[in-house]
Amino acid sequence: MLIGEINHSIDAKGRYIIPAKFREELGEKFVLVKGLDACIFIYPLAKWQAVLESLDQLSTTDPRARRFSRSFTARAFDVEIDKQYRVVLPPVLREYAGIEKEIMTIGATSRLEIWDKQRWLEYDLLANETFEEDAAYFPDIRL
């Protein structure tokens, strides 16, 4: 399970070191893709396959479905870690997420999210304000 948060940075070449606690579950190959809320999603290959299968169920006659599917998959990158456990974050994804140097890696159960550190801190501050209200919205979750 991918959980927790880690504060770190990318280097001048846009390389991201996969945090040690996530390496085994991610494996050596995974997918980077434009995520929601202006972050980068990282999917282990098995989870990515499930995402693709669910996208494949969308109606090709629905313009919104086509638009979302195209936008989501057009900026998906298959990557493989190097011997130092690094991958290059593609410039188009770094630009989308506003990432320059300082980042946060967030475990989101079945995927990781990479956030610009300042953007994450702002988002997390707002999320904390509505945490209990949000929890009440999902009564079937056993906490």
Side-chain angles (χ1 to χ4, degrees):
M1 179 161 308
L2 301 168
I3 57 173
E5 69 179 22
I6 298 175
N7 178 12
H8 51 128
S9 60
I10 60 172
D11 68 16
K13 295 180 180 179
R15 292 179 297 198
Y16 163 71
I17 298 174
I18 303 299
K21 73 178 279 181
F22 301 129
R23 291 176 189 162
E24 186 176 334
E25 188 156 351
L26 278 182
E28 293 183 14
K29 296 180 183 181
F30 43 88
V31 175
L32 302 172
V33 66
K34 179 171 93 170
L36 302 173
D37 299 314
C39 70
I40 299 170
F41 286 173
I42 302 178
Y43 287 105
L45 289 179
K47 178 60 178 171
W48 177 247
Q49 187 60 41
V51 169
L52 290 178
E53 289 170 7
S54 67
L55 285 174
D56 201 35
Q57 299 303 309
L58 296 176
S59 172
T60 57
T61 60
D62 182 337
R64 179 177 258 173
R66 288 193 312 270
R67 186 173 54 242
F68 175 75
S69 183
R70 285 179 187 138
S71 181
F72 188 62
T73 59
R75 290 174 188 87
F77 297 85
D78 294 330
V79 295
E80 186 170 352
I81 59 173
D82 67 13
K83 292 181 188 334
Q84 286 80 41
Y85 304 102
R86 300 174 301 189
V87 296
V88 174
L89 298 179
V92 68
L93 294 181
R94 290 196 315 262
E95 183 179 328
Y96 167 75
I99 292 173
E100 293 181 25
K101 180 80 174 157
E102 297 297 314
I103 62 173
M104 296 294 288
T105 299
I106 310 301
T109 65
S110 62
R111 69 173 182 275
L112 293 178
E113 297 180 353
I114 303 173
W115 288 72
D116 169 75
K117 182 180 179 178
Q118 187 59 40
R119 188 173 280 173
W120 168 253
L121 293 174
E122 292 166 7
Y123 177 87
D124 192 42
L125 182 64
L126 291 174
N128 282 334
E129 291 176 8
T130 62
F131 182 72
E132 291 195 25
E133 181 180 312
D134 292 344
Y137 185 78
F138 302 101
D140 294 335
I141 295 177
R142 295 181 293 246
L143 298 177

